[in-house]
Amino acid sequence: MNANVDDAIIPPVLRGLHVSADSLVNKLTAFVADDLERTAAAKLAGRLAEGGHAAAAFELLTELREGSRKVASAAVEALPEVVALLPGETVVTWIDLAVSLNEQSGAASIKFCKESAGLLQAMDSGVAGPALAMALELAEQDANVALEGFRQAAGVVAAAGVEALLLWGQIGADLAKLDYVLGIEYLRRGPEILKVLASEDLKAWASVSVTLVTPNSLGKPDYMAALAFFRTSPVLLGDLATPAVRRRVLALSGVLADHSTEQAVEFLGEAPGWLCLIRDPQWQERVLQYGTLIAERDAAAALAYLRRAPEVIGLADQDAPAPSPAMVGAGGAPLAGPSPAMMDRFDKWYRGGMEVLAYNPDAARAYFAVETRKALEAIEEAASGVALRSVARVLKLFAEGLSGHPVTIRPLDGSKGDESTIALPARMRRYPSKEDNLRMYKVLTAHEAGHLEYGTYDLPLTRLADLAAQAGLRYGRASASPPTSLEEFFQLYPHPLLIRDLWMMAEDARIEACLKAEYPGLRRDMEAVAREEVARRSLTHGMSVRELIVELLLEMSATDPDEVRVPDALADVVERAWALLRVVAIPQATAEDVVRAVHRAYVLIEELTAKELPTPPEGASEGSNQPLQPRAGEEQGGAYRPVETFAHRGVMDATRVREPEGGVGSHGEPSLSGGSRSRQAPRVRRDAASVPTPVEGLPSASLADDTRVIPEEETGAVSPALPGVRTFLYDEWDGQIQDYRTRWCRVVEQTAPEGTEEFIGLVRSRYGGVVSLIRRYFEGIRPPGLRRMRRQADGEEVDIEAAVEALVERKAHVSASEFVYIRRDRRDRDVAAAFLVDLSGSTGQQIGPGGARIIDVEKEGLVLLCEALEAIGDQYAVYGYSGQSRHDVQILVLKDFDERYGPSVWRRIDAVRPLVQNRDGAAIRHALRRLSERAAKVKLLVMLSDGRPLDDAYQEEYALEDTKAALREAKALGVHPFCITVDREARGYLERMYGDVCYLIIDRVESLPERLPRIYKALTT
């Protein structure tokens, strides 16, 4: 029932009785006196009569008592406080609400009456009326919804104003009609969400919650995701920059939830993190808009896109470093929007994914997750600057040509490399043009190669023993044992960071002098880059005196010293220090000369800066000769902070200068340039590309990891988890998406465990005659070591027959042949063979009742094969393979190429046991890697298998297509693959993978040992 202050609300019955005001007050007093003291009842009735609301109140209270005596008593008991807080007409609305609530729920009405005083006290004077009116409307639908609405009304008004109250309440009522639990939770979270969300977006917020309700295993609604969304939304949305971005997040959440509740929940949990990486709100809106378009087609692809988008933006941005505070607006967002070129690069990447999505959702998911080669190519196109992976081979040849050393180019990632490793930035975008970035790469590579060529890291520390003794005595920091690295040598000084900076600066200057002298073609580029780098420097007043001195010396080492402006206060110490250091900035200086000069410069700087230096005169103008003076009162000695070197010089590592195990003589002879050229080239580090292993179903750690891998090292080793274990990552072909999934399989190589020599003895006993026959047979086909080649243009002896013929021709005045010598040529077989043995669990099956197992027959065949190969002299290796999942493909080395066939190998073969599953593609690629390291004209890959490839999801068409792709790769590398299987039903799938003539099915498994050597002979002769 709706009440009003007007007489129109008084029933006709009362009007007809012409009840007097005093009589009405007495009746009302008597009515409420049943629950209040007489005095309080009279006072309450009088207050209501003063405003002319006694009749309406009396009628409503009477109706309430008729409905429930208990509720009426609760209302009367609350009325004195309510009347004190509300104006008369609002009191009538309050009673009317109690009546409406009681019609549906007496309990809700009692709660309302008891809580009203506290709730009304929290409301401003203008809030109670609209709050009660809103609750009265809601009460027509549900009492508890109306009660919750009234409870939260004050918070809603405080957050969004009175005008938002009715809309908020109506959405809650509509939601409650659809789902009561969600409606109540929506109302409870109203005050919090309206602090971060505009009222016009409330409907979208509520709609997302509806899509997050899913049926549980019993078919009943599961509210966990929806309730969690309501509870976390204020924090989640509050972290977003603008209302437009929040609106986009809600829209995308709804689309994702329509397809997959789980992926919507994942998105909501991850969105704040990656949106923080996209600082520009315009970019945030764009990314979310594109994400919604993708989600309408495929939710998983959208999630993959959203996870990668921030990194793609970072790669596409020419000015990737974070903007300065002056360029940042409210909320940490840059004021300037994305550049058109940057947006075009990002849009091109997005459109490429949409094109893939149009015909293959699986391929689109892999594309946006950057799991495929096509995706990496698209990232390269989207990125600004020049990627190291695109120029690594050229830089490698360039560095090897300069240094005369085999080198490995790898991305600069903070890890320490060996003596043949050159670490460079994964992406060069220091300049707008590709040509300038390439020039920077070239100069930086030349500089790093110069360290190898001119002996930076070949300095024998024993030659510095006298300096170490001097430093130890001078500073009292002598160690019990001689320093084992240059870094330990620097620790003998009070300020090791200072002397390290001086060493880096002076050694870099020496290397540059050597390069300019020996390679004049580099001079122009090196000088141009140096001028640009010096021009970029800006000295700040935050530097200490020693830091300022090193900065000035650094500039003098890279450009014309006369052009460097030196403050008058520092002129003396800088000039004297430079006089000591410039004598080693010449091609004739050695790495040892540099360290000695640096020692002298350090001592000089320390002595001259230990006392107070003169400070600049007051009021010195910027146009004077003292623009770079340190501030008065600045620290003259104290702590020293390293000075950043020039970008084109890279970063040197003093720990790499170590005393070699072979002593002084192992460093090599001095070169003409005064450095040190090693007699023996350093070991080439083939496993330099260290890449984190991605987790199943999740993207790789970052696009920096994805795009920094150099193509020739994409299958490089990752850091081993255990000693003696090497881990590699390989691509895998996905036939469904028609692309390679990059670095998809993790192969773990380790030496096989050993057993006893008993098995070898048993095999030799059982096949004694066969072994002897095989050895004699293969020794017979082994070619002689040398063959006499007649009629050669040169050789060790004269071919008498050919010489006589030439003499006759000459006497007959005919042009005589010059091929009159005999040369002895080597005619050894030039074969390298790798054998892959399937160790999957199925090899444990027995051959017939009570017969041997397949694995035992394979082992016997391996023994006979090895005996044959030892007789013929071919280089060979034997690997067992098994594993489970793409993250753990096990390669067990039974015999490596350079390993002697002996007791260790015998014991490993004995210990071979059936393991788990077989992922053939990864095993083949690893064997190809090992074969690629061998120099041989003929390379053979032989697989011993008992069935088709099978490993978790690696099965059926996927497994066959990947294995077929790996075999194509083998043929492209000049390797001849061949499969020997005991699976009698293998013909169908083997023909698909190997072709018509590249496999053999052995019907009688027990014949494998004797047939295996003959098969090998047929393949290699």
Side-chain angles (χ1 to χ4, degrees):
M1 172 181 178
N2 262 329
N4 208 326
V5 297
D6 194 272
D7 277 345
I9 62 104
I10 302 175
V13 175
L14 289 177
R15 283 206 302 271
L17 294 174
H18 301 286
V19 178
S20 67
D22 289 342
S23 175
L24 187 59
V25 169
N26 292 334
K27 286 183 176 288
L28 184 57
T29 300
F31 183 92
V32 299
D34 290 344
D35 299 293
L36 297 175
E37 293 183 357
R38 188 71 184 180
T39 304
K43 183 177 181 182
L44 175 62
R47 290 284 300 275
L48 290 171
E50 288 174 4
H53 307 294
F58 181 68
E59 173 60 19
L60 291 170
L61 288 172
T62 302
E63 183 179 348
L64 185 59
R65 180 172 287 180
E66 290 173 356
S68 171
R69 173 78 187 207
K70 187 175 181 180
V71 175
S73 297
V76 171
E77 291 173 359
L79 264 177
E81 290 184 90
V82 171
V83 169
L85 294 169
L86 297 177
E89 66 274 12
T90 310
V91 173
V92 175
T93 306
W94 181 87
I95 301 172
D96 195 4
L97 179 55
V99 173
S100 297
L101 293 175
N102 183 57
E103 291 174 353
Q104 296 192 40
S105 170
S109 187
I110 290 175
K111 290 178 182 178
F112 166 72
C113 295
K114 291 183 176 180
E115 296 175 16
S116 287
L119 295 173
L120 291 171
Q121 287 175 355
M123 296 181 184
D124 293 335
S125 57
V127 176
L132 289 167
M134 179 268 300
L136 199 56
E137 288 194 16
L138 298 183
E140 295 178 1
Q141 176 183 315
D142 187 275
N144 288 304
V145 170
L147 176 59
E148 193 60 45
F150 183 67
R151 286 170 175 165
Q152 307 300 332
V156 170
V157 173
V162 174
E163 57 276 6
L165 194 59
L166 191 58
L167 175 62
W168 165 75
Q170 190 56 54
I171 293 173
D174 294 341
L175 187 58
K177 285 181 183 178
L178 188 64
D179 192 295
Y180 176 79
V181 174
L182 292 183
I184 293 296
E185 191 65 25
Y186 163 90
L187 294 171
R188 287 175 180 167
R189 303 298 166 182
E192 297 174 69
I193 196 63
L194 283 169
K195 293 177 182 177
V196 298
L197 199 66
S199 57
E200 56 266 27
D201 296 324
L202 285 173
K203 190 171 184 178
W205 181 61
S207 299
V208 172
S209 71
V210 176
T211 59
L212 292 176
V213 179
T214 57
N216 60 20
S217 58
L218 300 177
K220 297 182 178 180
D222 184 348
Y223 294 100
M224 292 297 294
L227 296 180
F229 168 71
F230 273 143
R231 291 164 187 166
T232 58
S233 290
V235 176
L236 186 153
L237 298 174
D239 290 338
L240 305 182
T242 64
V245 173
R246 298 180 189 121
R247 204 168 293 125
R248 292 282 186 191
V249 167
L250 291 175
L252 178 52
S253 301
V255 175
L256 286 171
D258 286 337
H259 291 80
S260 168
T261 302
E262 292 78 10
Q263 287 169 336
V265 171
E266 285 185 48
F267 163 70
L268 290 168
E270 297 174 14
W274 55 255
L275 280 174
C276 287
L277 301 175
I278 308 174
R279 302 187 63 190
D280 190 326
Q282 294 183 43
W283 264 119
Q284 292 179 351
E285 287 188 58
R286 193 181 194 89
V287 168
L288 292 167
Q289 178 188 6
Y290 289 170
T292 304
L293 295 175
I294 298 171
E296 289 172 352
R297 298 187 180 187
D298 188 86
L303 207 56
Y305 155 83
L306 293 166
R307 286 168 172 155
R308 285 303 195 189
E311 294 177 272
V312 176
I313 292 171
L315 289 171
D317 187 2
Q318 181 70 34
D319 303 316
S324 64
M327 295 296 293
V328 176
L335 298 176
S339 66
M342 180 179 169
M343 294 175 70
D344 287 344
R345 286 192 290 268
F346 182 82
D347 286 356
K348 186 176 182 180
W349 173 70
Y350 159 75
R351 288 195 301 271
M354 291 297 282
E355 290 173 2
V356 176
L357 181 59
Y359 68 85
N360 192 328
D362 286 334
R365 295 166 193 164
Y367 174 94
F368 285 123
V370 196
E371 292 174 350
T372 66
R373 292 183 183 177
K374 291 177 184 176
L376 281 175
E377 291 170 3
I379 290 295
E380 290 294 349
E381 292 184 17
S384 62
V386 176
L388 178 60
R389 61 180 282 122
S390 66
V391 295
R393 287 192 177 93
V394 174
L395 296 178
K396 174 182 171 68
L397 295 174
F398 176 60
E400 290 178 344
L402 289 179
S403 66
H405 291 65
V407 301
T408 296
I409 303 292
R410 71 166 175 83
L412 185 64
D413 57 5
S415 62
K416 296 185 182 298
D418 63 12
E419 65 274 10
S420 65
T421 299
I422 292 179
L424 300 172
R427 181 169 297 278
M428 184 64 68
R429 47 183 175 183
R430 200 166 182 83
Y431 303 94
S433 70
K434 178 180 180 181
E435 292 74 18
D436 286 340
N437 284 315
L438 283 173
R439 182 191 63 178
M440 187 67 171
Y441 259 141
K442 184 175 75 171
V443 171
L444 187 53
T445 302
H447 212 281
E448 294 297 320
H451 288 305
L452 301 178
E453 182 178 5
Y454 301 113
T456 295
Y457 302 117
D458 295 333
L459 171 62
L461 294 182
T462 52
R463 296 183 183 177
L464 303 179
D466 58 322
L467 281 187
Q470 291 179 35
L473 290 174
R474 182 182 184 91
Y475 302 113
R477 300 166 67 95
S479 60
S481 58
T484 60
S485 70
L486 194 59
E487 181 62 33
E488 289 187 16
F489 172 79
F490 291 154
Q491 297 301 317
L492 299 174
Y493 295 80
H495 297 284
L497 299 180
L498 170 59
I499 192 170
R500 186 197 299 156
D501 274 2
L502 291 172
W503 169 70
M504 290 173 59
M505 179 265 296
E507 180 65 14
D508 281 332
R510 181 182 77 88
I511 295 301
E512 288 177 357
C514 292
L515 289 170
K516 290 176 183 177
E518 193 160 348
Y519 309 105
L522 281 173
R523 177 183 291 272
R524 184 174 64 180
D525 284 343
M526 293 179 69
E527 291 178 347
V529 169
R531 284 194 300 270
E532 292 164 2
E533 290 298 308
V534 171
R536 289 172 183 260
R537 310 289 281 199
S538 68
L539 297 180
T540 66
H541 290 291
M543 284 186 170
S544 69
V545 169
R546 287 173 180 162
E547 292 162 10
L548 190 53
I549 290 171
V550 174
E551 174 67 34
L552 294 167
L553 291 172
L554 183 64
E555 293 187 14
M556 296 171 79
S557 73
T559 187
D560 185 354
D562 295 333
E563 295 181 1
V564 179
R565 293 193 302 169
V566 181
D568 291 343
L570 301 178
D572 180 56
V573 63
V574 171
E575 289 174 6
R576 292 172 64 179
W578 178 241
L580 294 172
L581 295 173
R582 69 183 175 189
V583 298
V584 295
I586 58 174
Q588 294 76 24
T590 66
E592 179 185 350
D593 296 334
V594 169
V595 177
R596 294 186 178 279
V598 164
H599 168 79
R600 293 191 291 270
Y602 176 90
V603 173
L604 173 73
I605 293 171
E606 184 202 49
E607 291 177 347
L608 295 183
T609 58
K611 57 182 181 297
E612 185 78 16
L613 291 181
T615 55
E618 294 292 333
S621 65
E622 291 192 9
S624 68
N625 193 35
Q626 305 171 6
L628 303 176
Q629 295 278 11
R631 292 178 299 181
E634 216 172 45
E635 176 189 23
Q636 306 302 324
Y640 174 84
R641 296 168 298 177
V643 174
E644 184 179 358
T645 189
F646 296 117
H648 71 284
R649 286 183 169 179
V651 179
M652 293 163 59
D653 183 4
T655 60
R656 287 177 64 179
V657 184
R658 308 184 68 86
E659 192 68 46
E661 294 180 2
V664 178
S666 66
H667 281 280
E669 57 189 351
S671 70
L672 295 175
S673 301
S676 173
R677 298 179 186 269
S678 299
R679 290 193 183 99
Q680 200 171 19
R683 172 177 60 86
V684 176
R685 187 183 183 190
R686 298 181 180 272
D687 57 347
S690 179
V691 189
T693 303
V695 178
E696 186 85 48
L698 293 178
S700 301
S702 73
L703 286 184
D705 297 326
D706 290 328
T707 59
R708 73 185 181 181
V709 181
I710 298 167
E712 65 183 24
E713 296 175 348
E714 281 185 346
T715 56
V718 297
S719 301
L722 297 170
V725 175
R726 300 189 70 192
T727 307
F728 301 81
L729 296 173
Y730 292 98
D731 294 354
E732 185 170 273
W733 176 258
D734 187 334
Q736 187 173 0
I737 67 175
Q738 290 295 296
D739 199 357
Y740 281 95
R741 292 188 179 273
T742 55
R743 302 184 306 286
W744 194 249
C745 293
R746 176 176 175 266
V747 171
V748 181
E749 179 192 272
Q750 58 187 315
T751 303
E754 295 185 4
T756 67
E757 298 178 23
E758 180 181 355
F759 180 77
I760 300 298
L762 292 174
V763 174
R764 286 177 171 171
S765 298
R766 181 176 181 182
Y767 297 94
V770 176
V771 171
S772 299
L773 181 63
I774 288 173
R775 290 190 67 89
R776 286 197 302 271
Y777 179 75
F778 275 85
E779 285 170 354
I781 65 173
R782 181 172 186 166
L786 295 174
R787 185 178 64 168
R788 298 175 79 239
M789 305 287 290
R790 293 183 175 276
R791 300 181 182 277
Q792 301 297 307
D794 57 74
E796 297 82 6
E797 58 183 284
V798 176
D799 186 340
I800 300 298
E801 184 179 341
V804 170
E805 291 179 2
L807 181 60
V808 171
E809 290 170 349
R810 191 175 293 111
K811 291 289 185 180
H813 303 287
V814 178
S815 178
S817 172
E818 297 180 357
F819 296 90
V820 294
Y821 297 96
I822 294 175
R823 187 175 68 240
R824 294 183 182 273
D825 282 355
R826 296 191 63 84
R827 199 177 155 228
D828 287 339
R829 286 168 57 93
D830 197 7
V831 178
F835 294 87
L836 277 176
V837 184
D838 178 5
L839 303 181
S840 60
S842 57
T843 59
Q845 296 177 0
Q846 288 186 334
I847 306 167
R853 299 177 303 169
I854 294 176
I855 191 72
D856 297 324
V857 176
E858 288 182 343
K859 289 161 61 176
E860 291 176 352
L862 287 179
V863 173
L864 299 186
L865 179 66
C866 290
E867 296 283 349
L869 291 172
E870 288 295 313
I872 203 170
D874 289 351
Q875 50 179 323
Y876 69 100
V878 182
Y879 306 108
Y881 73 98
S882 185
Q884 191 161 18
S885 87
R886 67 184 180 95
H887 300 301
D888 188 25
V889 180
Q890 296 287 331
I891 297 290
L892 301 179
V893 180
L894 301 175
K895 180 194 172 300
D896 222 338
F897 279 104
D898 296 324
E899 193 172 8
R900 187 179 71 87
Y901 177 67
S904 294
V905 176
W906 302 343
R907 291 191 292 270
R908 291 175 203 156
I909 294 176
D910 172 74
V912 168
R913 299 288 183 272
L915 298 176
V916 275
Q917 297 176 332
N918 56 309
R919 203 177 192 98
D920 288 9
I924 291 171
R925 292 183 179 96
H926 187 70
L928 293 178
R929 177 186 179 87
R930 290 295 177 230
L931 281 169
S932 69
E933 298 169 353
R934 313 307 300 178
K937 290 182 181 178
V938 177
K939 296 182 179 181
L940 185 66
L941 172 61
V942 179
M943 295 187 67
L944 298 178
S945 174
D946 73 326
R948 64 174 65 220
L950 177 66
D951 180 22
D952 291 352
Y954 189 84
Q955 52 187 298
E956 302 301 336
E957 288 298 311
Y958 184 98
L960 296 180
E961 288 296 320
D962 176 58
T963 305
K964 184 177 180 179
L967 294 170
R968 283 199 305 265
E969 296 165 27
K971 294 175 182 177
L973 293 171
V975 176
H976 304 285
F978 192 84
C979 179
I980 302 171
T981 183
V982 297
D983 182 5
R984 297 178 181 180
E985 301 177 357
R987 188 175 304 278
Y989 64 83
L990 285 180
E991 283 184 359
R992 285 184 54 187
M993 296 189 296
Y994 287 87
D996 295 334
V997 296
C998 294
Y999 66 90
L1000 177 65
I1001 300 174
I1002 296 181
D1003 295 329
R1004 293 177 57 249
V1005 179
E1006 56 272 16
S1007 68
L1008 175 64
E1010 297 181 23
R1011 295 184 64 179
L1012 196 53
R1014 295 201 296 271
I1015 294 168
Y1016 179 78
K1017 171 185 174 292
L1019 292 173
T1020 57
T1021 56

